[in-house]
Amino acid sequence: MKQDFETFLSNIAVDAQRDKGKRRWLSKAKTKTKDRRPASSIVLDLNNQRLWERRPSMKTHAVLLMGESRVGKSSIIARYCYDMFPYFYDPGWDRDFKEVNIASKTHKIELEDLSTYVTPDQPFDLRDRVIATAEGFVLVYDITSKSSFDSIRAIYDEVRRKSGLGRPVVIVGNKRDDVDAREVLSEVGAKLAKQIRCRFAEVSAKDGTGLEELFLELATEIEGMKQREAKVMANVNCRNVGRALIEVFEKVSKGLERLHWQILYWMYGPDRLLRVRPMVRPVEEAREVVRVRSTESAVSGKGRGTGSVVPGKLRERKSRKNVVRGVENEKEVMSGGLEITMAGPSGVALQVHRI
Ligand SMILES: Nc1nc2c(ncn2[C@@H]2O[C@H](COP(=O)(O)OP(=O)(O)OP(=O)(O)O)[C@@H](O)[C@H]2O)c(=O)[nH]1
């Protein structure tokens, strides 16, 4: 009887302790609510491709915890962010964060438990979107439940299907404190991780074992991935900028050359143009082709015509108003037409327009 009474008393003490823990945990969570607004916004298109993304800083890493129900995802978040272990089951816990130091810089790790997205009132599409926006994944199983381990492979496949390329994944066996009830050996977990080439860890949300290293290494991995992505993007941009600069430069130089000939045309008119030309470009340098465009057909309104002067031959065209004559050897072109195109030594077509 005495013993029963003592057991009764100790049970009350345990319950009181749990209640106290729950109250403390909830009040902490409440004060944190202000900070629990989403730190990042991402706009996806219908195929879950990123259209626009705002992250408050490069150093915020979105980590998604996935796994069967009751494997301890919420408990891992509670232990890691508040250093406390809730003895009660709370399926509603969703998102929190913790700041850590990596290479003497502060990084913010946002942890999210996906189970809240699979309640019947949530559209299924939301689940896909949450996966698509996460930057790192923790696939949790319970070492005391073989079935929770068996589901990991399918979850991993889903992550690879729906997430961006190269997002780090860690397979985590939780409840390692519960050695007596163990159903999944750590070698088995490690073997699966090796097969799908990702990291493996065994942790305990109850006593906090392995959690600090787990998230620190994951954040470092995510940071590395982001830096690699940023480098690739910078390279792509550099190449584009370089190509654009060359294009602009080519356009400007062609434009300048054209302008140069236009000014000569204005100054001397078509008749005297070729007398000035050698001053600009020595005759020997000039190529053997002179093209004359837009002659009689342009003037007569039938569209643009193109004539070319065969080297060494005199070519003459007549229209109602214009006479076009080109003497290749002397590089002489006379035109009353609208436009003359000459192939210069650099291979750039020079056009002289009549205004
Ligand atoms: N012994 C032990 N029990 C744990 C551990 N982590 C969680 N639990 C217990 O496992 C139960 C489920 O934990 P939760 O954190 O609510 O599990 P969950 O994965 O978030 O569940 P859902 O929200 O349904 O997805 C709770 O009763 C916890 O007390 C652990 O490391 N060791």
Side-chain angles (χ1 to χ4, degrees), residues 67-76 85-93 113 115-116 142 174-178 203-207:
E68 274 199 346
S69 184
R70 304 192 75 120
V71 292
K73 300 180 295 293
S74 317
S75 306
I76 288 176
F85 179 66
Y87 285 88
F88 54 89
Y89 172 57
D90 175 11
W93 190 259
D113 168 6
S115 64
T116 47
D142 177 353
N174 187 34
K175 307 193 187 178
R176 75 179 258 188
D177 57 280
D178 205 351
V203 301
S204 164
K206 190 172 181 179
D207 56 26

Side-chain angles (χ1 to χ4, degrees), residues 310-333:
V310 183
K313 281 191 182 171
L314 179 82
R315 182 159 179 164
E316 202 166 304
R317 284 187 179 192
K318 282 188 184 171
S319 73
R320 258 179 296 159
K321 288 183 191 167
N322 307 294
V323 177
V324 179
R325 192 156 61 85
V327 181
E328 179 55 27
N329 289 341
E330 293 166 27
K331 299 287 177 291
E332 185 179 335
V333 172

Side-chain angles (χ1 to χ4, degrees), residues 125-143:
D125 184 40
L126 192 57
R127 180 185 168 90
D128 295 357
R129 285 177 173 243
V130 173
I131 296 177
T133 53
E135 293 167 323
F137 296 87
V138 177
L139 312 188
V140 189
Y141 69 89
D142 177 353
I143 63 154

Side-chain angles (χ1 to χ4, degrees), residues 17-28:
Q17 192 62 32
R18 280 182 189 171
D19 270 9
K20 200 173 151 199
K22 185 173 179 176
R23 273 203 308 278
R24 271 177 56 206
W25 190 47
L26 288 179
S27 70
K28 259 206 168 183

Side-chain angles (χ1 to χ4, degrees), residues 135-180:
E135 293 167 323
F137 296 87
V138 177
L139 312 188
V140 189
Y141 69 89
D142 177 353
I143 63 154
T144 66
S145 150
K146 177 83 171 56
S147 66
S148 72
F149 174 74
D150 292 340
S151 67
I152 290 290
R153 184 68 217 224
I155 298 175
Y156 175 79
D157 290 342
E158 184 186 13
V159 166
R160 281 290 170 245
R161 253 196 338 273
K162 296 176 181 171
S163 75
L165 264 182
R167 303 270 178 264
V169 176
V170 191
I171 292 182
V172 168
N174 187 34
K175 307 193 187 178
R176 75 179 258 188
D177 57 280
D178 205 351
V179 274
D180 296 336

